[in-house]
């Protein structure tokens, strides 16, 4: 019998989760998809900062070095041993292929050595599931907006693990645009929080960047033109040796980016009739986004954002997604599990 069948029968599972899709080496122990018993993360931000962004090979090497210690610490904090695990979960995509492979290989080794079934998790389902940890009573159906360094999408979530893609970016993700704008403003990696900090002191009406796709009726996104407009403005001013307020540029960019992000979401929410909106991914940490959602959607909607510690990459959200993958009929992954850098939801 499939070992996940037993979990589905009794409805409980303690899961060790591993996440290495980008530059965070992370492990967590999660019970029944909602309860985090131990959650440990080694952020490589300081390592990649001097390069102005993530260097994939350096990320992989650091994962290989840190993984055993991060997993041991998560287990120690949770007070568990391998015999307590019903499954080992690992992110197998989307992400940097080399970085993903370190986690996948390590999880396979642990699964084989300890005879514990392996479950493969989609990183974006993890970001969505961060909300299940933050809100113990949250259940589908809802509309989900995922905003990270690699993705910007609206998804209709009819049940756990049942998704319909409504809109997605045609080029850059919103997080990527924040990172590139930060770079041209000479702010360190990762850019999002630094653009947000600068924007707090700036005038959002100073520069009128045009709203992307404003002449189209679509739920899709496009951030590449906006990003280029900001980069050109700053570079042209610098080359003419004109004074430019970095704060005003940051605030003006952020306003247009968030307006563009929320317009299709609001339009879709109105047509779908679903009043529950769940937001996840690194950019969901942004305070201006949170405040604007509050203002725009008001009390007509129930709005959910993850706790700040679960917005950016972590393994607890992978442990949560793994539980629902199993409960909804997911199969054990074999030892031939491979990384899928372009995995879709
Ligand atoms: O979800 P995440 O940790 O990794 C991916 O799956 O991509 O998201 C990272 C992205 C980066 O682009 C980062 O700049 C952005 O999320 N980010 C933010 C904020 N915090 C992180 N963007 C805007 N405001 C923030 N406070
Ligand atoms: Zn992520």
């Amino acid at each position: 019998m499939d070992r996940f069948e037993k979990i589905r029968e009794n409805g409980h599972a303690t899961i060790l989760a591993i996440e290495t899709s980008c530059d965070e080496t992370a492990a967590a122990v999660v019970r029944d998809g909602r309860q985090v018993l131990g959650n440990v993360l080694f952020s490589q931000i300081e390592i990649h900062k001097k390069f102005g962004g993530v260097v994939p090979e350096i990320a992989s090497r650091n994962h290989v070095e840190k993984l055993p210690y991060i997993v041991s610490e998560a287990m120690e904090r949770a007070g568990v041993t391998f015999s307590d695990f019903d499954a080992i979960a690992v992110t197998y995509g989307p992400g940097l292929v080399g970085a993903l492979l370190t986690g996948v290989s390590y999880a396979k080794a642990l699964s084989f050595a300890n005879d514990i079934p392996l479950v493969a998790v989609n990183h974006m389902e993890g970001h969505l599931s961060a909300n299940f940890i933050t809100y113990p009573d949250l259940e589908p159906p809802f509309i989900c907006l995922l905003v990270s360094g690699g993705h910007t999408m609206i998804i209709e979530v009819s049940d756990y693990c049942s998704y319909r893609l409504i809109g997605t970016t045609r080029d850059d993700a919103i997080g990527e645009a924040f990172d590139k704008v930060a770079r041209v403003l000479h702010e360190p990696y990762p850019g999002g929080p630094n653009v947000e900090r600068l924007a707090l002191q700036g005038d959002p009406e100073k520069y009128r960047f045009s709203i992307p796709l404003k002449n189209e009726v679509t739920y899709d996104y496009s951030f590449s033109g906006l990003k280029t407009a900001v980069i050109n403005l700053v570079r042209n001013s610098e080359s003419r040796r004109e004074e430019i307020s970095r704060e005003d540029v940051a605030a003006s960019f952020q306003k247009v980016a968030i307006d563009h992000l929320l317009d299709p979401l609001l339009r879709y929410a109105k047509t779908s009739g679903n009043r529950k909106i769940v937001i996840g991914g690194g950019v969901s940490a942004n305070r201006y986004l949170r405040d604007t959602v509050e203002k725009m959607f008001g009390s007509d909607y129930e709005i959910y954002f993850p706790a700040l510690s679960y917005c950016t990459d972590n393994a607890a959200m992978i442990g949560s997604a793994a539980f629902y993958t199993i409960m909804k009929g997911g199969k054990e992954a074999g030892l031939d599990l491979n990384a899928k850098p372009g995995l879709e939801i």
Side-chain angles (χ1 to χ4, degrees), residues 42-301:
F42 170 71
S43 168
Q44 301 179 13
I45 285 177
E46 288 308 316
I47 296 168
H48 297 281
K49 219 175 208 170
K50 52 181 169 292
F51 304 105
V54 178
V55 182
E57 190 168 317
I58 294 176
S60 307
R61 288 172 186 229
N62 277 280
H63 288 317
V64 167
E65 226 173 271
K66 297 291 186 313
L67 259 173
Y69 304 102
I70 298 296
V71 168
S72 299
E73 201 178 326
M75 290 174 61
E76 204 168 296
R77 287 197 196 170
V80 296
T81 63
F82 279 106
S83 63
D84 293 307
F85 294 136
D86 300 292
I88 294 178
V90 66
T91 304
Y92 75 117
L96 302 170
V97 66
L100 288 164
L101 280 171
T102 64
V104 167
S105 304
Y106 195 68
K108 283 203 262 189
L110 289 181
S111 161
F112 181 68
N114 297 285
D115 195 24
I116 301 168
L118 189 65
V119 52
V121 176
N122 181 317
H123 181 78
M124 298 314 290
E125 287 192 75
H127 276 304
L128 181 158
S129 303
N131 284 282
F132 295 139
I133 294 170
T134 308
Y135 306 97
D137 298 324
L138 173 65
E139 295 201 23
F142 50 72
I143 299 167
C144 182
L145 174 71
L146 292 178
V147 280
S148 69
H151 294 78
T152 310
M153 49 192 181
I154 300 174
I155 309 161
E156 179 83 56
V157 182
S158 52
D159 192 3
Y160 293 105
C161 309
S162 293
Y163 313 111
R164 190 162 67 89
L165 184 66
I166 304 300
T168 187
T169 182
R170 296 177 185 174
D171 41 58
D172 293 354
I174 185 168
E176 197 178 340
F178 267 91
D179 292 338
K180 297 279 164 57
V181 165
R183 195 189 280 210
V184 80
L185 294 175
H186 310 292
E187 285 292 323
Y189 175 84
N194 292 317
V195 170
E196 180 181 13
R197 180 182 43 77
L198 278 181
L200 280 175
Q201 316 293 329
D203 173 7
E205 307 294 337
K206 179 68 188 285
Y207 300 101
R208 299 294 177 110
F209 300 114
S210 60
I211 296 185
L213 308 181
K214 65 172 182 234
N215 297 323
E216 282 186 48
V217 181
T218 175
Y219 298 122
D220 278 350
Y221 293 110
S222 168
F223 289 96
S224 159
L226 172 62
K227 170 197 76 182
T228 306
V230 177
I231 291 174
N232 288 344
L233 171 80
V234 176
R235 293 221 175 117
N236 290 340
S237 306
E238 282 179 352
S239 69
R240 290 197 295 264
R241 297 185 193 283
E242 284 169 10
E243 270 295 313
I244 191 162
S245 155
R246 298 186 319 132
E247 290 79 5
D248 291 346
V249 173
S252 304
F253 157 75
Q254 182 176 254
K255 181 180 186 315
V256 173
I258 301 297
D259 281 351
H260 175 43
L261 184 70
L262 297 181
D263 172 66
L265 181 67
L266 186 59
R267 275 189 289 112
Y268 182 70
K270 280 182 179 159
T271 55
S272 90
N274 197 324
R275 306 253 147 228
K276 227 191 252 186
I277 314 274
V278 173
I279 304 181
V283 182
S284 69
N286 186 282
R287 187 75 257 168
Y288 179 79
L289 167 63
R290 291 176 175 231
D291 292 345
T292 312
V293 167
E294 192 103 330
K295 275 187 219 138
M296 238 172 165
F297 287 79
S299 53
D300 292 346
Y301 292 87

Side-chain angles (χ1 to χ4, degrees), residues 21 123-124 127 148 281-282 311-313 317:
S21 66
H123 181 78
M124 298 314 290
H127 276 304
S148 69
C311 288
T312 44
D313 293 348
M317 68 185 197

